[in-house]
Amino acid sequence: MIRKKICLLGAFAVGKTSLVARFVKSLYSDQYITTVGVKVDKKTVKVGDREIALIVWDVAGEDEFQKVQMSYLSGASGYLLVADGTRGNTLETARMLEQRVTETIGALPFIFIINKSDLAPEWEIDDQALAECESQGWTVVKASAKTGEGVEAAFAQLAEKMFRK
Amino acid sequence: MSDSPLRIVPNQPIKLDQPEDSASTEAATKQGEMAELRRLLVEPEQIQINNLLERLNNPRVRAREMSRNLTEAVRLRSSQDDSLTEALAPTIVTAFQSSVKKDPRPVAEAISPLMGPAIRRAIAAALSAMIQTFDQALKHSLSWQGVKWRFEALRTGKSFAEVVLLHTLVYRVEQVFLIHKTSGVLLEHVAASSVTTQDADIVSGMLTAIQEAMRSFARDSFGSTHEEHIDTMDLGDREVWFETGPQAVLAVVIRGKAAESLRGEFFAPALEAIHYEQRESLAAFDGDTTPFELSRPHLESCLQSQYEGRTDPARFKVPLYIWLLLALLLAALATWAFFAWRENRRWSDYLNRLRAQPGIVITEAGSRDGKRFVAGLRDPLAADPRAVLREQTRLDPAGVDSQWKPYQAFDPEIVEKRASSMLDPPPGVELKLNDGVLAASGTAPHQWMVDAQRLARAIPGVARFDDSNLTGEESESLRRQIEQQAVRFVVGTTWIAPGQSEPLNALTAQIQKLAALAPAAGRVAKIEITGHTDAEGDEAANQRLSEDRASRILALFKLRGIAPDNFSTRGAASKEPVHPETSAADKAINRSVSFKVSLLDARQPAAKPKESSR
């Protein structure tokens, strides 16, 4: 059995816990639960013909009062960087987090998820900004924890990336 | 030298190839010289080469040489790494398997000294554990506490055993997680039986996250600088103990309160062993947890537990009350056995008594439905088995079923009884059976004698009736009366004295009556008439006179119509005086005749002619 630790990072209330809930149990809860510290979940995915257990660490979101504990990332094989399409500043937080990870842990495979694709018309993050990210080598996935769009794909891409490494 | 190939022959001079024709003889000579020169120069080396070739090409020599170095080679290689062991392992396993398949005995014999004590220890431990469990069960089911726990089990829906375990639990290691230190990824996990576990991967991650959170809390709040390990996490009725190694962490979930010594005794050694055995896998860990399956035994060694009142089976002492219980049980058993034995003895004694009883034949005896039974044949005249049971044994009559079928027995005692019941002998008559002959003796009424003669022949078991020793009451009284009579005579004559006619008439009547009675009872009355005289006068004359007097009376009887056949007469003169002669009156008494009556068996004379006719 292959077991890989991955982390979810992102600004406060971007929907990380909902994404995990969607990914792990395929159900969505509208009720936002403020994650205190860390919540760990598990999901088995297939990469090629290999089964991999992804141990998903859902790390508390970053805001002006609370910084993401980088120590939670130790030993992780990759991470999902999450931003909220409807809140432009969450993209900034994501950039900052990515930088901090690279500084403290080193370059890890990651996928950048722009959540809340079901609310696309209200998005503050435009395609230009996303293209900018992609030009830096980021893999960007638009997803919605509510509809399930892009969720499985994001996790699968991360798994693939971790193995290509 | 390539144009003159050499053939190397050990211990022989070197030869050159044959020249092609005679014209080249000179060249050949030259070459011969060369060869000679070469031989002179390199012969010692040549011999060495030959020896080397011999060593290389001869497998036997090679084997001999290798055998000299093999042990050292193996030792050397084993000290370098484990590859030799790995290479040999499959061969050894196959060899072992094939050896066992061929003949398991040598292997069995080799390991039996090890297996025997191990099995004995295991059995002893199992027995001891069984007694312990029994003790616990007794303690827990009989006490007030036990009742409470039973109620709790009923209320909570848990099994009683579970409730008992929970209450008597001192501690129990429920789960052991082997966690990769940096990533928190679960490497291996074991749980005690019947412990419900959550997803171990998630728990492992959460435990790591919590540790991390605590560490950062410690850093932020108390300014600790170096990496602090968390040793224990208290979760109410459970504790999580962490044992931290360089690359892996052991998280042990314990229910209850365990002694700190567990750490040094089990957890730390297990983690150290894992670190040593898995050093390469741990150093290169990248998500593949397969190698750590080999660490399961180490984790399982941490699954310790202790229950209240439970001690090491080896040190467990059988409590006194179990001994008492056992002794009580034995005593009860012994008592039961004694009573059963006594009852059996009484029963067989009863059966023997019945068998000894004439007229009882036992055909079947035994036990059925908790009751004893006896069945057989019984002559109605035999002893009553119930009476024997009641009076001669101490068995409970209610516990015995009897079934008797009537039959006629031929035991002498029964035949005697049967005769007695059928003939109903009067008092004074004794019946005795001897070899089928029923003998009656004593005195009986005449009519009874007549009936007995007839009936006796019809009694089963009686071949003959012998009444020769039996006397009829009436005949006997007549005999006595007749024998008391005396007819007196006038002195010196055969004239009957005056006044004698009355007694003579009575006598006649008695004799006639006796003669009539006797034949019916199978008797014949023989009467001897003896004449007497007084002592006066000539004895020869007296003799004559006495004979005449007897004949005179017989003639008189004849005259009165009595058949003379059964009479005999004789004279006794004065030799058998009827009365001692001391006076004239005595003399008168002695001038008389007296009578002697013999009642003889009438059948005897009838039998005699038969015997004589033979």
Side-chain angles (χ1 to χ4, degrees):
Chain A
M1 189 75 174
I2 305 287
R3 291 182 170 93
K4 294 277 191 187
K5 171 181 174 178
I6 62 168
C7 290
L8 265 91
L9 300 176
F12 180 74
V14 291
K16 298 183 295 298
T17 303
S18 297
L19 281 170
V20 175
R22 181 48 118 166
F23 176 59
V24 171
K25 294 162 195 135
S26 285
L27 58 85
Y28 175 76
S29 163
D30 264 328
Q31 199 192 346
Y32 183 75
I33 304 152
T34 305
T35 317
V36 179
V38 159
K39 184 171 171 289
V40 180
D41 259 312
K42 181 175 96 168
K43 170 87 176 180
T44 308
V45 295
K46 267 199 151 179
V47 176
D49 53 356
R50 284 217 273 184
E51 284 225 319
I52 297 163
L54 291 180
I55 315 297
V56 185
W57 286 49
D58 179 6
V59 183
E62 172 117 352
D63 57 21
E64 60 263 47
F65 308 111
Q66 196 184 350
K67 275 187 153 192
V68 167
Q69 288 283 346
M70 278 302 131
S71 54
Y72 286 142
L73 270 96
S74 79
S77 304
Y79 61 98
L80 293 163
L81 201 53
V82 187
D84 180 350
T86 63
R87 282 151 61 210
N89 62 334
T90 60
L91 174 60
E92 290 315 305
T93 312
R95 283 184 201 281
M96 201 204 16
L97 282 169
E98 190 266 342
Q99 217 173 338
R100 230 163 62 210
V101 170
T102 315
E103 278 166 17
T104 52
I105 313 283
L108 283 180
F110 74 96
I111 303 288
F112 184 40
I113 298 179
I114 317 292
N115 195 18
K116 307 194 185 175
S117 63
D118 51 302
L119 302 173
E122 299 166 34
W123 273 27
E124 289 176 10
I125 300 173
D126 53 14
D127 287 346
Q128 197 199 329
L130 294 182
E132 216 171 287
C133 292
E134 277 174 337
S135 71
Q136 290 177 332
W138 292 21
T139 308
V140 181
V141 174
K142 288 182 191 170
S144 164
K146 192 168 186 174
T147 62
E149 184 200 341
V151 178
E152 291 273 346
F155 280 91
Q157 283 190 43
L158 178 62
E160 293 252 348
K161 234 181 183 181
M162 291 188 309
F163 272 91
R164 240 185 299 137
K165 182 190 76 168
Chain B
M1 290 239 310
S2 60
D3 57 337
S4 58
L6 269 171
R7 266 200 302 130
I8 296 156
V9 180
N11 304 328
Q12 272 184 25
I14 301 156
K15 282 181 186 162
L16 291 168
D17 282 354
Q18 287 297 316
E20 281 171 24
D21 52 66
S22 55
S24 54
T25 318
E26 197 186 337
T29 316
K30 259 187 182 175
Q31 274 183 350
E33 283 168 357
M34 271 293 287
E36 182 59 21
L37 186 65
R38 190 185 295 139
R39 191 183 66 79
L40 286 171
L41 284 174
V42 299
E43 194 176 24
E45 286 78 13
Q46 193 63 54
I47 290 167
Q48 274 181 350
I49 288 171
N50 287 343
N51 284 343
L52 276 172
L53 278 173
E54 163 79 8
R55 276 171 67 182
L56 284 174
N57 293 334
N58 190 333
R60 238 204 251 161
V61 175
R62 266 208 327 266
R64 201 184 314 127
E65 282 179 352
M66 205 186 292
S67 73
R68 274 185 217 127
N69 304 327
L70 193 61
T71 318
E72 187 54 32
V74 167
R75 202 172 286 147
L76 213 60
R77 182 71 220 203
S78 300
S79 70
Q80 286 165 10
D81 58 28
D82 291 341
S83 58
L84 188 68
T85 314
E86 277 163 29
L88 283 175
T91 317
I92 288 171
V93 169
T94 318
F96 189 71
Q97 281 170 342
S98 103
S99 156
V100 170
K101 208 182 279 175
K102 230 181 268 166
D103 183 8
R105 265 176 310 176
V107 175
E109 274 162 23
I111 62 171
S112 65
L114 299 172
M115 296 299 285
I119 291 169
R120 271 199 297 281
R121 256 205 308 281
I123 290 173
L127 266 179
S128 174
M130 201 180 74
I131 293 178
Q132 236 180 329
T133 315
F134 178 61
D135 171 43
Q136 294 248 322
L138 268 183
K139 232 186 246 171
H140 293 147
S141 31
L142 298 180
S143 62
W144 166 238
Q145 198 176 39
V147 175
K148 274 201 300 192
W149 290 349
R150 219 165 255 289
F151 182 71
E152 185 182 328
L154 211 68
R155 197 164 44 79
T156 54
K158 287 179 184 161
S159 76
F160 179 62
E162 233 175 307
V163 173
V164 171
L165 276 187
L166 278 177
H167 282 283
T168 55
L169 184 78
V170 175
Y171 76 85
R172 180 191 196 190
V173 174
E174 290 190 334
Q175 300 185 62
V176 183
F177 297 83
L178 178 66
I179 302 170
H180 186 238
K181 193 178 175 187
T182 45
S183 66
V185 165
L186 180 73
L187 301 175
E188 191 55 59
H189 170 243
V190 294
S193 57
S194 80
V195 170
T196 46
T197 56
Q198 303 297 324
D199 190 309
D201 283 310
I202 296 173
V203 176
S204 163
M206 284 307 288
L207 285 171
T208 312
I210 290 166
Q211 271 192 302
E212 188 51 49
M214 301 277 278
R215 265 198 291 270
S216 77
F217 171 74
R219 265 196 308 273
D220 297 349
S221 310
F222 310 120
S224 4
T225 45
H226 57 279
E227 289 285 297
E228 297 271 4
H229 299 307
I230 291 162
D231 286 335
T232 313
M233 223 163 75
D234 200 330
L235 306 174
D237 59 345
R238 283 188 184 81
E239 279 183 0
V240 184
W241 289 15
F242 295 99
E243 193 65 40
T244 311
Q247 274 141 342
V249 177
L250 211 60
V252 184
V253 181
I254 302 171
R255 193 186 184 106
K257 291 276 172 226
E260 192 63 28
S261 59
L262 279 183
R263 233 182 242 284
E265 253 176 88
F266 298 101
F267 307 159
L271 188 63
E272 277 160 21
I274 292 167
H275 266 95
Y276 177 71
E277 287 169 15
Q278 303 281 357
R279 55 194 180 277
E280 282 153 27
S281 307
L282 278 170
F285 181 70
D286 190 28
D288 185 5
T289 56
T290 322
F292 298 96
E293 281 164 18
L294 295 174
S295 304
R296 277 189 81 87
H298 291 302
L299 301 188
E300 275 158 359
S301 76
C302 299
L303 292 174
Q304 299 291 321
S305 64
Q306 192 192 329
Y307 292 90
E308 204 174 82
R310 281 207 170 193
T311 41
D312 179 9
R315 272 181 286 161
F316 177 73
K317 273 183 130 186
V318 180
L320 185 67
Y321 78 93
I322 285 193
W323 284 123
L324 283 175
L325 216 68
L326 222 64
L328 217 67
L329 209 72
L330 266 174
L333 208 72
T335 313
W336 174 82
F338 168 71
F339 279 110
W341 171 80
R342 202 178 63 173
E343 193 76 359
N344 265 335
R345 264 197 60 150
R346 284 176 176 175
W347 176 247
S348 61
D349 179 50
Y350 171 56
L351 292 180
N352 284 337
R353 274 170 196 276
L354 283 186
R355 281 192 193 102
Q357 289 291 336
I360 289 184
V361 179
I362 296 174
T363 55
E364 215 185 337
S367 300
R368 193 165 44 200
D369 305 332
K371 272 183 125 184
R372 297 184 184 279
F373 75 92
V374 57
L377 304 171
R378 175 177 170 256
D379 191 289
L381 292 170
D384 179 8
R386 299 224 141 252
V388 174
L389 181 65
R390 255 192 330 271
E391 288 152 21
Q392 298 186 25
T393 73
R394 298 175 72 181
L395 290 165
D396 176 18
V400 179
D401 276 337
S402 309
Q403 270 192 334
W404 300 107
K405 291 222 157 88
Y407 88 116
Q408 282 199 323
F410 287 84
D411 305 75
E413 296 93 329
I414 294 295
V415 175
E416 229 174 68
K417 269 193 185 175
R418 190 178 297 137
S420 185
S421 107
M422 284 175 79
L423 299 180
D424 191 20
V429 171
E430 203 188 352
L431 291 176
K432 268 242 158 73
L433 189 77
N434 195 8
D435 277 342
V437 177
L438 183 68
S441 58
T443 313
H446 191 257
Q447 188 53 48
W448 184 84
M449 287 176 69
V450 175
D451 292 344
Q453 269 294 342
R454 201 181 68 241
L455 286 172
R457 268 170 290 178
I459 298 172
V462 174
R464 199 160 65 77
F465 182 60
D466 174 17
D467 59 358
S468 53
N469 290 321
L470 195 66
T471 319
E473 257 169 32
E474 296 87 342
S475 324
E476 183 64 18
S477 105
L478 282 171
R479 183 183 69 80
R480 272 198 304 274
Q481 284 171 27
I482 291 165
E483 286 187 350
Q484 273 165 14
Q485 300 281 1
V487 181
R488 294 192 197 168
F489 288 84
V490 176
V491 181
T493 68
T494 58
W495 299 345
I496 292 167
Q500 291 290 295
S501 58
E502 199 54 35
L504 204 55
N505 287 342
L507 183 63
T508 309
Q510 286 162 350
I511 288 173
Q512 279 173 332
K513 206 172 170 188
L514 183 61
L517 259 173
R523 294 287 187 275
V524 61
K526 296 269 184 194
I527 301 173
E528 187 185 57
I529 307 170
T530 307
H532 303 275
T533 62
D534 58 21
E536 300 296 321
D538 175 42
E539 190 61 22
N542 277 348
Q543 179 63 37
R544 226 169 19 252
L545 181 61
S546 65
E547 282 168 13
D548 288 348
R549 280 175 176 169
S551 304
R552 173 83 180 88
I553 289 299
L554 180 61
L556 198 70
F557 286 160
K558 272 185 198 167
L559 279 174
R560 293 191 175 197
I562 296 170
D565 306 358
N566 293 321
F567 288 88
S568 59
T569 57
R570 71 177 184 103
S574 62
K575 291 194 282 291
E576 296 168 33
V578 178
H579 200 271
E581 224 175 88
T582 52
S583 64
D586 294 337
K587 285 184 191 291
I589 289 169
N590 282 339
R591 288 190 293 270
S592 62
V593 289
S594 65
F595 304 93
K596 173 126 181 79
V597 182
S598 304
L599 287 165
L600 300 175
D601 199 329
R603 284 154 298 192
Q604 295 293 75
K608 270 180 183 169
K610 268 189 192 171
E611 282 177 14
S612 60
S613 71
R614 276 192 196 164

